[in-house]
């Protein structure tokens, strides 16, 4: 952290030094050391991904502005020290994203609302287990709509002593996210119920196209219906993703862990979060999500 210390010493106000140290550590927390090479590799996309993470955690616009101010000051200093040739935090695409209003469709659910939604989703003897698995997988893996719709039986597999879900909506198979044993157990029950050994994990139970893969729209309808039945409102896939990240934050996960788990841009690899796969699995934000 020598570069960080050098920057902080350049500030005259002790109060500003304390605040900026906290804010910069939120951005760099997963990096073992803030080196010149690391700073040079950071782009405005990385800063924007950081803002998106704060937005999805419903952090106040004031908090976002303060952390951006710290980053802008740090990179201004890095330019004067000839460590970076531009200030990525001052790019026009980098600006605070006001948190969603609590009544909007993109808010996150409380833990009690999640449980109520799961209970409502499980009401059907035929489809309840599948619908609960969809919700649990989306929350714990922080999946986007295309990602949950693309989940295949083969995507859930062990890696070392952990379980992972390959996230490859475009068939690349290059990304994965850790999921807890409890979610894997529910998924295994779904596989047993449907007799699945390969192919798409989520299947239709309707008489018209029984056994056919569920589309993204069908999954959206399942989730929305469960939320309405639970009295929570019209729940969306994006809301479930945000809920998982929010629960992880409430449980004590760092912003960098959440950023890596949510797969925001390329910033996780730039900051060294995903370089060591064993560390990525053992130090995952999913450990901080407590629903069961």
């Amino acid at each position: 952290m020598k570069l960080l210390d050098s920057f902080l010493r350049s500030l005259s106000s002790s109060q500003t030094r304390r605040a900026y140290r906290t804010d910069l550590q939120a951005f760099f927390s997963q990096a073992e050391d803030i080196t010149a090479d690391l700073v040079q590799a950071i782009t405005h996309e990385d800063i924007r991904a950081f803002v998106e993470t704060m937005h999805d955690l419903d952090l106040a616009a004031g908090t976002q502005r303060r952390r951006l101010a710290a980053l802008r000051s740090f990179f201004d200093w890095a330019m004067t020290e000839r460590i970076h040739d531009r200030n990525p935090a001052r790019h026009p695409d980098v600006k605070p994203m006001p948190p969603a209003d609590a009544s909007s469709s993109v808010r996150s659910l409380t833990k009690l609302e999640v449980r109520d939604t799961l209970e409502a989703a499980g009401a059907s003897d035929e489809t309840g287990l599948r619908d609960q698995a969809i919700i649990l997988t989306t929350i714990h893996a922080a999946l986007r709509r295309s990602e949950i719709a693309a989940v295949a039986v083969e995507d859930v597999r062990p890696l070392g002593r952990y379980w992972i879900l390959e996230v490859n909506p475009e068939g690349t198979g290059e990304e994965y996210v850790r999921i807890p044993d409890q979610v894997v157990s529910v998924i295994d029950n779904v596989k047993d119920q449907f007799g699945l050994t390969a192919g798409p994990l989520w299947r239709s139970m309707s008489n018209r196209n029984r056994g056919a893969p569920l589309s993204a729209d069908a999954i959206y309808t399942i989730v929305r219906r469960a939320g309405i039945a639970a009295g929570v409102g019209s729940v969306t896939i994006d809301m479930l993703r945000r809920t998982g990240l929010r629960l992880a934050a409430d449980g004590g996960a760092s912003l960098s862990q959440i950023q890596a788990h949510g797969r925001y841009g390329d910033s996780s690899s730039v900051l060294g979060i995903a370089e060591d796969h064993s560390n990525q699995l053992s130090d995952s934000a999913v450990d901080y999500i407590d629903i069961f």
Side-chain angles (χ1 to χ4, degrees), residues 2-78:
K2 292 180 180 179
L3 278 183
L4 177 58
D5 291 336
S6 296
F7 163 66
L8 294 173
R9 283 195 297 269
S10 72
L11 304 175
S12 58
S13 168
S14 60
Q15 184 175 357
T16 301
R17 284 197 295 271
R18 286 194 298 270
Y20 277 16
R21 180 183 292 277
T22 299
D23 293 332
L24 291 170
Q25 285 176 337
F27 181 77
F28 288 109
S29 63
Q30 290 296 101
E32 292 185 3
D33 192 17
I34 302 177
T35 64
D37 287 342
L38 172 64
V39 173
Q40 291 166 5
I42 292 172
T43 68
H44 76 274
E45 287 91 350
D46 304 314
I47 310 291
R48 179 171 172 79
F50 182 62
V51 175
E52 289 173 355
T53 308
M54 294 190 287
H55 166 73
D56 278 358
L57 294 178
D58 290 329
L59 296 189
T63 301
Q64 296 181 35
R65 284 194 293 269
R66 192 191 69 232
R67 288 178 170 169
L68 278 177
L71 284 166
R72 286 165 179 158
S73 294
F74 174 77
F75 282 102
D76 281 343
W77 173 84

Side-chain angles (χ1 to χ4, degrees), residues 126-173:
E126 188 172 39
T127 64
L129 184 62
R130 176 203 66 189
D131 297 351
Q132 287 180 327
I134 288 173
I135 293 170
L136 285 170
T137 304
T138 303
I139 290 174
H140 283 87
L143 298 181
R144 299 174 175 87
R145 178 168 165 162
S146 61
E147 293 169 343
I148 185 63
V151 174
V153 172
E154 301 91 333
D155 292 337
V156 180
R157 61 180 179 84
L159 182 61
R161 61 192 181 93
Y162 299 106
W163 284 93
I164 65 166
L165 169 65
E166 289 195 10
V167 182
N168 55 345
E170 298 178 356
T172 61

Side-chain angles (χ1 to χ4, degrees), residues 225-245:
R225 185 169 57 221
I228 292 173
V232 172
S234 182
V235 175
T236 66
I237 300 297
D238 184 59
M239 189 186 298
L240 294 180
R241 169 181 161 81
R242 289 164 57 87
T243 296
L245 297 173

Side-chain angles (χ1 to χ4, degrees), residues 145-206:
R145 178 168 165 162
S146 61
E147 293 169 343
I148 185 63
V151 174
V153 172
E154 301 91 333
D155 292 337
V156 180
R157 61 180 179 84
L159 182 61
R161 61 192 181 93
Y162 299 106
W163 284 93
I164 65 166
L165 169 65
E166 289 195 10
V167 182
N168 55 345
E170 298 178 356
T172 61
E174 295 176 350
E175 281 192 297
Y176 61 78
V177 61
R178 208 184 106 197
I179 53 176
D181 294 347
Q182 298 98 318
V183 173
V184 175
S185 178
V186 176
I187 290 174
D188 284 342
N189 289 336
V190 172
K191 288 159 56 179
D192 291 341
Q193 180 187 27
F194 285 80
L196 300 176
T197 58
L201 180 58
W202 317 121
R203 304 295 182 104
S204 172
M205 294 294 287
S206 72

